[in-house]
Amino acid sequence: MTSDVISSKELSKVDPVFGQLSFDNHEQIVFCNDKDTGLKAIIGIHNTVLGPALGGTRMWNYNNEWEALNDVLRLSRGMTFKSAITGLNLGGGKAVIIGDAKTQKTPELMRKFGEFVHSLSGRYITAEDVGMTTEDMDTVREVTPYVTGISESKGGAGNPSPITAYGVFMGMKAAAKIKYGSDILEDKSVFVQGIGHVGESLVEHLMNEGARVTISDINQQRLEQVSSKYGVTIYEGHDIYSEPMDIYAPCALGATINDETIHKLKADIIAGAANNQLADEAKHGRMLQEKNILYAPDFLINAGGIINVYAELENYGKQEIIRKTENIYNTTLEIFEGARQNNVTTNVSALSIAKQRIADRKRDQQK
Ligand code: NAD
């Protein structure tokens, strides 16, 4: 979830903001500080060509500010392409709050954060991410309308995680269709890494389809709960990346596909919910292609959550949310086909479609 593979030493070698490795022509970066509540947050607005920058707020105990900045830059950029490829009229943004969500999050801190969001007059709209709950968004809603992911009782679309999991499941099925000629996942061995909000829901879909599921998590209690609820196997080994498996579903951390892991991976398919799975998009995307591992781009298949919160802005209901999320299946097939035709990685194929949509809109706006 943090910038796992880029050391803070590396990050601090370059210019503080515009020179960061993850800076990709972001429009605006806002540093928020409040002494009274202890709030230290960074809001990253990557691109607003398609609409207001929408993306969740992550609260995480970063080792230092470089890591937090790097994370918000990577995540906000990802949101731009996620919304673009999903056909939503939204730009890309994200926020991080530096601190331990379990011990440092208070309603006062969340309200103060909401005031900073409000000061941007709707250029950035927030939602929940790791370390945040629907109730936290309800608190933010007390001070600003520029928030989504609020509870259903308050007119929101509720918890986005089950929808995200459904979209990941759709993307995984599309990958199976290409790899095995059938999108039925029965008897396929699927390794779900991280069985939090999204991971658990994904496990449920996979079990309903008859897949053979193995789970891992750093939280032993969750492992036992999910294992006994769905009858899935808990991973007992020490190096999941060396395990034989058909499908690897990263649903915890970013950057798990990196120089160290890629050589060991034996999966046919990678399809999971975690953001920024490739530590280095270009390099690791290519390495997967060379190893004939089919990678379903994360920002494409984990878009269910943003589809869910977009409903709050556009006033569409559950049926339309499901329809749009199911469409991830078709878009994933399209991206794979584009990658095959143009002999590029699946990540490049997805990015080029997203970038084209933004470029087209920009051209229209300039007419
Ligand atoms: P979560 O915090 O509910 O779950 C994450 C789980 O991963 C936790 O159970 C945690 O214990 C586990 N974990 C942490 N480190 C781990 C490790 N090293 N190995 C194995 N497990 C580990 O988060 P979530 O909402 O389920 O989201 C999962 C991922 O999907 C995140 O990367 C998030 O950014 C991404 N995502 C979530 C949504 C959504 O709607 N919730 C939408 C898009 C993307």
Side-chain angles (χ1 to χ4, degrees):
M1 268 163 265
T2 58
S3 49
D4 313 60
V5 291
I6 306 168
S7 72
S8 5
K9 222 167 152 193
E10 281 292 310
L11 295 170
S12 58
K13 269 191 225 155
V14 287
D15 282 341
V17 178
F18 300 122
Q20 280 307 306
L21 300 176
S22 308
F23 182 79
D24 179 27
N25 284 306
H26 285 67
E27 290 178 11
Q28 192 176 6
I29 301 157
V30 184
F31 293 84
C32 317
N33 180 54
D34 181 64
K35 190 163 158 275
D36 293 344
T37 58
L39 175 75
K40 283 201 175 356
I42 314 173
I43 299 172
I45 298 179
H46 177 247
N47 189 291
T48 56
V49 169
L50 293 177
L54 195 151
T57 297
R58 174 172 293 188
M59 187 160 184
W60 190 255
N61 216 353
Y62 294 99
N63 287 322
N64 54 53
E65 292 170 16
W66 293 113
E67 279 192 7
L69 176 61
N70 188 252
D71 213 24
V72 79
L73 291 176
R74 273 166 71 90
L75 290 165
S76 52
R77 173 181 181 272
M79 291 310 295
T80 297
F81 301 128
K82 185 182 307 202
S83 285
I85 199 141
T86 312
L88 310 180
N89 288 321
L90 292 172
K94 201 90 180 183
V96 296
I97 298 178
I98 300 170
D100 186 337
K102 288 202 184 78
T103 57
Q104 289 170 277
K105 191 170 62 179
T106 60
E108 294 74 31
L109 180 136
M110 290 313 302
R111 270 192 288 273
K112 185 49 79 176
F113 173 69
E115 287 174 19
F116 279 106
V117 170
H118 194 69
S119 74
L120 295 168
S121 308
R123 266 176 69 71
Y124 169 66
I125 301 173
T126 197
E128 61 255 71
D129 191 65
V130 176
M132 287 290 142
T133 63
T134 311
E135 290 70 40
D136 294 323
M137 294 305 113
D138 291 346
T139 308
V140 171
R141 182 68 186 83
E142 291 169 18
V143 294
T144 182
Y146 304 124
V147 52
T148 54
I150 54 177
S151 49
E152 286 178 276
S153 61
K154 295 203 159 54
N159 177 11
S161 303
I163 300 291
T164 301
Y166 188 51
V168 171
F169 183 59
M170 288 294 120
M172 194 183 281
K173 279 170 101 43
K177 175 89 186 153
I178 297 295
K179 203 75 189 175
Y180 307 121
S182 160
D183 62 16
I184 309 290
L185 297 172
E186 192 177 358
D187 282 337
K188 296 287 174 240
S189 62
V190 186
F191 197 111
V192 182
Q193 180 186 38
I195 33 123
H197 293 101
V198 181
E200 177 179 349
S201 203
L202 178 63
V203 166
E204 189 174 1
H205 288 297
L206 290 167
M207 290 308 283
N208 287 341
E209 184 130 330
R212 290 181 287 121
V213 179
T214 306
I215 54 173
S216 76
D217 203 291
I218 49 171
N219 183 333
Q220 191 59 30
Q221 205 187 345
R222 285 263 332 134
L223 279 173
E224 280 155 24
Q225 273 169 0
V226 173
S227 167
S228 67
K229 189 166 168 192
Y230 302 97
V232 292
T233 311
I234 298 176
Y235 179 62
E236 305 284 0
H238 298 290
D239 185 9
I240 73 154
Y241 304 105
S242 300
E243 276 305 296
M245 60 182 88
D246 295 323
I247 302 173
Y248 167 48
C251 294
L253 308 163
T256 58
I257 300 158
N258 55 50
D259 285 344
E260 202 188 309
T261 59
I262 218 158
H263 293 291
K264 305 185 214 168
L265 271 175
K266 296 184 188 80
D268 297 324
I269 290 170
I270 299 175
N275 286 308
N276 300 323
Q277 291 166 22
L278 305 178
D280 179 326
E281 272 178 17
K283 178 179 172 193
H284 298 128
R286 241 183 352 259
M287 285 169 79
L288 289 178
Q289 189 185 25
E290 281 159 17
K291 278 196 81 174
N292 203 17
I293 297 176
L294 187 58
Y295 171 64
D298 49 13
F299 66 91
L300 165 66
I301 70 166
N302 73 12
I306 190 107
I307 291 170
N308 196 62
V309 295
Y310 189 55
E312 290 177 31
L313 302 176
E314 294 288 305
N315 285 319
Y316 55 75
K318 273 273 178 275
Q319 252 184 332
E320 182 61 9
I321 292 174
I322 300 288
R323 194 197 63 75
K324 279 187 157 54
T325 305
E326 273 171 358
N327 198 42
I328 288 176
Y329 180 94
N330 296 324
T331 314
T332 310
L333 287 180
E334 218 178 287
I335 265 75
F336 290 155
E337 180 54 21
R340 193 190 60 78
Q341 276 180 9
N342 302 314
N343 194 24
V344 292
T345 68
T346 53
N347 203 62
V348 166
S349 172
L351 275 178
S352 59
I353 293 179
K355 285 180 178 170
Q356 190 59 50
R357 183 163 176 249
I358 297 168
D360 290 348
R361 179 69 61 84
K362 197 164 181 178
R363 213 179 26 253
D364 288 349
Q365 286 166 352
Q366 285 163 349
K367 272 183 192 160

